[in-house]
Amino acid sequence: MTLKKTSPKILFLIVSSSVVFLMLYAVLLYYIGKTEKDAYQNSVELFESKINQLLLLESKPILTALKNDTNWDEFVDFISTKKQTWYDETISNELRIYGADYLGVYDQNKQFITRTPTPVIKTVDFIPKQAMTVLDKKRVVKFYIKIPEGVVEVTGATIHPSDDPFKIKTKPSGYFFVARLINGKFIKNLEKITSSKITSLNVNDSIPEQRHVVSAVYSLKNPKGELIGKLLFERNFDVYFENTIRVLYIIIAVFILYLVVSIYYTQKLVYRPLYLVRRALQRGSLSAIAELKKTTGEFSYIGNLFEENNNQKIALIKAKLKAEEGDLLKASFLANLSHEIRTPMNAINGFTELILNTDIDEKERIEYLNVIQKNGQNLVSIIDDLIEMSKIDANQITPNFTEINLESCIEELYKTVKVTIPKKKPLKFKLYKSTVPAAYNIITDEIKLKQVIINLLTNAIKYTDEGMVRFKYEIDEENNLIHFTIQDTGSGIDENHHKHVFDRFKRIENDQSITVGGLGLGLSISKAYIEILGGTINLESKVGEGSVFYFSIPLKYAKVEHIVVKPIREKELAKSEDRVILIAEDDNVNFLLFQKMMKDKAYQIIRAVNGQEAVDICINNSDIDLVLMDIKMPVMNGFEAIEQIRPIRPKLPIIAQTAYSSSEDKAKIEKAGFDDYITKPLNRDRLFELINKY
């Protein structure tokens, strides 16, 4: 929260003095921490130096004895004679003097001669030749190696005559090694000497950092200088300031708590209510008003006044938004209604004109009449839906309850819908009857129940290209309900659209809905009928998996020939030597109308069933002379298609064909870059006028 400039200076004084105080404590903490760190670092360095000195002193007796023995003429003679008796009586008896676990002798050719071990070392010959090669240069060396019994410390020296005490005048006569196994006894002895705790580590073992412990690491290296292990020496570090730092932290915490309490009550008594008033005035904040109401005195009364004023404002805004949303939804609905009515009217008028004004045989005449009949039925269906929805909105629909046999009604519906499924469609339609049959006839509105079921089944079949449509009903006598389920394996409905599925003026727009057509009022009407019957309906659906519609109604006991347009190839060519015309039209009937209208003309016709195909054909076929572009198509609509065609073929005439006819739509078509437009239903004379013009 930002304080106003007019706030009392006392608040600034409290905060500024507190900041200074905290800064002083921060400096003190920093100094203590630095002092502790320096003391710890000095202790570590001193400890490491002491460990190295103690280890050097500990191994000095071995080195002294080793140098004396390896500058002995009789030892040189032993290397040559290999008399075991001399070795056993002299060198072998020195095992205890060395305090070692193993003595080993090698000749000048680095071949093993003899050894003296304790029981802890059973390996006979384990000194590597590399160690003797190193001794040739250094004369005396200390290293560590791993043997089956563990890691051993080896001290070795070359053997020379007594007149060569510095081992530089003569070549080595042999090699003598003293080894100690680094076991518990060895470690315990080192711990006593160094007054520390020793831990044996592997090469890759990490050393944990401990605040109260100083440590030193002694590396164990083989003759090649490679690390084979480590000894960790640890000793308690008793110089630290934890208690002092803890007291400082407590003081700081108490001070901060006091500061927070002081500021809190200052804000609560004066500045917070004023701040809430400012937020309520500037932003109309609901949380500020609610908090202001909880205060005492005049501020609480002011909060109540703000709430009353804000509620009135919100009510006005909601009413305005609802009215605007209703206008937008109705405008969108009317635009879609225009398209859906003009599409069948286009076929009706076009084929009627062909029958009246062209010379056709009897077979073609019947075909045209069937198309007119089918589109007339579609138009009547749209009008019926509109009238029915208008009656529902005007509350003119009342249920007509009668007694019906539920099983017979469902069986009749199942057979009626099943015969409407095209035989070529890879779709299975199954009925699952109730496991508990109805004991008597039921009371309901048969017409409305049938209409709901037909609407849901028709939708499931339309939006399922292949797979399964399941129709199930179940008698629930415990709850006095009849449950109906219509499940399909179709395209499914996106979860974001579930809340709009039953809305009257909202229609889910996608490629499949464009292909199927319709106003999308079927579900709205079905929901209204179910509610009139006293039931409920809900939906479960996932894109790509299908949809399931559930609806339930109360359980009350009582003691045309399908028109098929022949499939047309995606690129259909009419024999001609004249102009090449691309017709972008997804509707088979409308494209058939174009074909029939141009039958007697010398045009070469190419078809695109969606906007993307129209773009590809225009780009890859330079012979295209004219494009008749439908605006509403799947995959890519006409506006999107012309945006991609124009930069590549700017001079290609493109005429929009659309079922939309408002002034806004015409302006949008002109702005998109179309050379002209023709509305549906198509006028034959207007079509040829445009073709001849461009």
Side-chain angles (χ1 to χ4, degrees), residues 603-641:
Y603 300 142
Q604 182 180 353
I605 299 173
I606 299 177
R607 183 190 182 185
V609 296
N610 56 60
Q612 182 61 60
E613 187 174 348
V615 172
D616 295 338
I617 293 173
C618 289
I619 293 174
N620 298 319
N621 191 342
S622 60
D623 295 330
I624 301 297
D625 297 312
L626 177 68
V627 179
L628 294 172
M629 181 78 71
D630 188 19
I631 294 298
K632 190 173 183 181
M633 291 184 293
V635 182
M636 183 186 293
N637 63 36
F639 292 114
E640 295 170 334

Side-chain angles (χ1 to χ4, degrees), residues 183-450:
N183 53 11
K185 180 181 178 182
F186 182 88
I187 296 293
K188 187 175 182 180
N189 182 53
L190 276 183
E191 286 180 340
K192 183 177 181 181
I193 293 171
T194 59
S195 300
S196 60
K197 178 186 176 184
I198 301 175
T199 305
S200 180
L201 303 176
N202 294 322
V203 175
N204 297 322
D205 288 348
S206 60
I207 302 172
E209 294 185 3
Q210 301 181 63
R211 187 177 179 185
H212 300 155
V213 175
V214 292
S215 60
V217 177
Y218 184 77
S219 300
L220 307 180
K221 297 183 179 180
N222 63 17
K224 297 180 181 180
E226 298 171 344
L227 189 66
I228 65 169
K230 295 179 286 190
L231 292 178
L232 175 63
F233 295 80
E234 294 178 315
R235 182 183 293 173
N236 290 335
F237 175 64
D238 299 324
V239 182
Y240 49 89
F241 307 90
E242 276 192 357
N243 292 332
T244 304
I245 293 174
R246 189 177 293 112
V247 171
L248 285 175
Y249 278 135
I250 292 173
I251 294 173
I252 292 174
V254 171
F255 175 77
I256 292 175
L257 179 62
Y258 170 78
L259 177 63
V260 170
V261 170
S262 300
I263 294 176
Y264 170 76
Y265 278 105
T266 302
Q267 296 297 319
K268 182 178 180 181
L269 295 175
V270 181
Y271 304 124
R272 182 64 182 175
L274 291 176
Y275 170 74
L276 295 174
V277 170
R278 187 166 66 250
R279 284 184 59 193
L281 288 172
Q282 291 176 345
R283 307 176 188 175
S285 172
L286 295 177
S287 59
I289 295 172
E291 190 174 346
L292 195 59
K293 287 177 59 182
K294 294 178 182 178
T295 58
T296 57
E298 291 298 319
F299 287 117
S300 177
Y301 177 69
I302 293 172
N304 289 326
L305 293 177
F306 275 131
E307 185 179 48
E308 292 177 8
N309 181 69
N310 196 63
N311 288 339
Q312 293 175 359
K313 183 179 177 181
I314 290 173
L316 289 174
I317 292 173
K318 286 183 177 179
K320 180 175 177 291
L321 291 175
K322 187 174 182 180
E324 290 176 350
E325 182 183 7
D327 291 341
L328 291 173
L329 291 176
K330 288 179 181 179
S332 175
F333 175 77
L334 290 174
N336 191 55
L337 173 62
S338 173
H339 177 272
E340 295 299 334
I341 290 179
R342 285 175 176 271
T343 298
M345 284 302 299
N346 176 53
I348 292 171
N349 291 348
F351 280 97
T352 301
E353 185 180 359
L354 287 173
I355 293 174
L356 295 175
N357 299 324
T358 59
D359 186 14
I360 58 176
D361 57 25
E362 183 65 17
K363 183 178 180 181
E364 285 182 313
R365 188 179 70 83
I366 294 174
E367 181 184 356
Y368 296 172
L369 290 173
N370 285 334
V371 172
I372 293 170
Q373 183 188 34
K374 179 63 176 177
N375 282 273
Q377 291 172 349
N378 292 342
L379 190 58
V380 170
S381 177
I382 292 171
I383 295 171
D384 287 344
D385 284 349
L386 286 172
I387 294 172
E388 198 67 19
M389 186 55 68
S390 299
K391 290 181 179 179
I392 292 171
D393 288 338
N395 293 322
Q396 295 180 359
I397 301 295
T398 57
N400 181 23
F401 293 112
T402 58
E403 179 182 337
I404 67 168
N405 184 303
L406 182 62
E407 281 74 15
S408 299
C409 177
I410 297 300
E411 187 68 32
E412 178 186 348
L413 276 176
Y414 171 70
K415 292 179 180 179
T416 301
V417 174
K418 186 174 183 179
V419 297
T420 64
I421 302 175
K423 294 182 180 180
K424 295 182 179 180
K425 192 169 188 176
L427 183 68
K428 293 182 179 179
F429 179 37
K430 289 189 176 181
L431 170 65
Y432 296 87
K433 295 184 178 181
S434 174
T435 55
V436 179
Y440 308 97
N441 289 344
I442 66 169
I443 302 294
T444 190
D445 188 324
E446 182 178 8
I447 295 176
K448 291 180 176 56
L449 176 61
K450 285 184 176 180

Side-chain angles (χ1 to χ4, degrees), residues 34-51:
K34 187 174 185 304
T35 302
E36 182 180 359
K37 184 177 180 181
D38 292 341
Y40 179 80
Q41 187 63 35
N42 292 335
S43 298
V44 169
E45 293 175 358
L46 182 63
F47 183 57
E48 288 179 346
S49 175
K50 185 177 180 180
I51 291 299

Side-chain angles (χ1 to χ4, degrees), residues 81-101:
T81 62
K82 298 182 176 57
K83 292 182 178 180
Q84 190 67 31
T85 304
W86 178 87
Y87 175 82
D88 292 340
E89 293 175 352
T90 55
I91 302 300
S92 182
N93 290 330
E94 294 182 355
L95 187 65
R96 291 184 179 179
I97 297 174
Y98 281 105
D101 297 305

